[in-house]
Amino acid sequence: MPDRTPPATKPPVETPPPGGPRVDAVPPAVVPVAAVAAPRADVAVTSSPSLAKTGFDLEPVLLTGLGSLAAGGAAVYAGTRRRRDA
């Protein structure tokens, strides 16, 4: 049997990703703990104005829905109670 060697293959061709070559991201800088410490006592701190209210109050809608369910349940109970007595 003759010694057979596999045919030589070309190395795979790497195509660049769309949008250009990839750039490695720079890791964020680490902030020392001393820089994040509480504000100094001699510096006046001004409070920020309150934020604008968005959305709506859910409480009135929820209470109305629960009241409607209770009234419907009472009406169903009263209707079935009358039929039994008749």
Side-chain angles (χ1 to χ4, degrees):
M1 250 196 261
D3 186 26
R4 296 181 121 190
T5 59
T9 59
K10 294 181 183 179
V13 178
E14 293 185 29
T15 57
R22 196 175 119 209
V23 178
D24 291 332
V26 178
V30 177
V31 179
V33 176
V36 186
R40 298 185 334 208
D42 61 341
V43 177
V45 178
T46 59
S47 62
S48 61
S50 62
L51 297 174
K53 184 177 177 182
T54 60
F56 66 96
D57 288 331
L58 186 61
E59 186 178 358
V61 176
L62 183 64
L63 291 176
T64 303
L66 289 175
S68 297
L69 283 174
V76 168
Y77 179 73
T80 57
R81 183 85 174 160
R82 287 184 189 154
R83 286 187 199 156
R84 288 185 197 156
D85 293 341

